[in-house]
Amino acid sequence: MRPVPWLSPLLYAVVLVAGCYAALAGLGAVRPEFVAGLVALVLVDVVERRRYRDRTPFTPAVALLVVRAALVVVVAAADGSGMSRVLFLLLPFGAYFVFGRVVAIALGLGCAALVVVTFQATVPGWTRQVEQVSDLLMFAVGLVLTVAMAAVAVEEQRGRARLAELSAAAERNRVARDIHDGLGHHLTAVSVLLEKASAFRDRDPAVADRALDDARESARRALDDVRRSVRTLREPFRLASALSELTRGLKVTLDCAGDESGYDPAVLLAVYRAAQEGITNALRHARASAVSVEVHCGQSNARLVVADDGRGFAGPEGFGLRGMRERVALVGGAVEVHSEPDAGTRLVVTVPRSAAS
């Protein structure tokens, strides 16, 4: 994790302006080490960010902390305005991101102690002077706010990291569903057609040849489907034509009605993937002899019905159906599955015209 990148340059600029003003107005002497120290601090920040883009390792972080502390002491000693004391706040702030809260608080207390020692050595009777006591109190308040700001910034960065992990997991799940729903369907179709070609090879070579041709076409569509998933469907998606290609050469009757124009592409894709899963389950698991697919795109929602005369099921749902429910739920839809052993399966999917926000 990195500290807030704009904070250090802002404080360097404020200290530089304050020191120059103090020198010009005669409010305090400013030695050349003042500007040189600020330039060195800027260079340390630049080198660290270029050398360690994401996170500074422990040992270099300790060395850089020591270098920064020494430079801040040099700048503060050369600044007659006293404004440079604010740079000490950067030490516990940066330490919080690398070493944690305990080290940051301890470093902050050390900085406060250094300010007290400096007052004790340079300002006799400072404890009875309002200006010095007020400066010390303001420095202490600044330390508290600095540690609190660092804690908030660290939690925000952790939250962003967790959000990135969740986004990556969601994308992995999407890809897994695409592979299962798309590629799995086409491979099932290829398997069924090859079995058909094998069964009719001796009895009816013409039927076997047609089955092989359909298997090749299904393999081609599988490749197209993978490419479509990789491109995340940037090209316009047409549900009716996609379903027509999906069922070509299979024992599936298709009936598409209504007007799909104006539908959210994510909704149409969810319907398409649900149809893929329903057909795949019917052909591969239910061993159905007949499968029907009905789609109606109405004014407010789309309805998909996939029915088969297969052996049905009564057990728990597999990955495919769970993935389908997740995909449909993402667009605000619902899935119903009606099935009994030896009585076929009826899959009903209803999704709204626009994806849920």
Side-chain angles (χ1 to χ4, degrees), residues 99-117:
F99 308 109
R101 179 175 56 188
V102 174
V103 174
I105 293 176
L107 190 58
L109 293 175
C111 292
L114 181 61
V115 173
V116 172
V117 171

Side-chain angles (χ1 to χ4, degrees), residues 165-184:
E165 291 175 0
L166 291 175
S167 298
E171 183 62 15
R172 287 194 298 269
N173 289 335
R174 183 194 69 80
V175 172
R177 286 194 297 265
D178 283 349
I179 292 174
H180 179 276
D181 297 346
L183 189 59

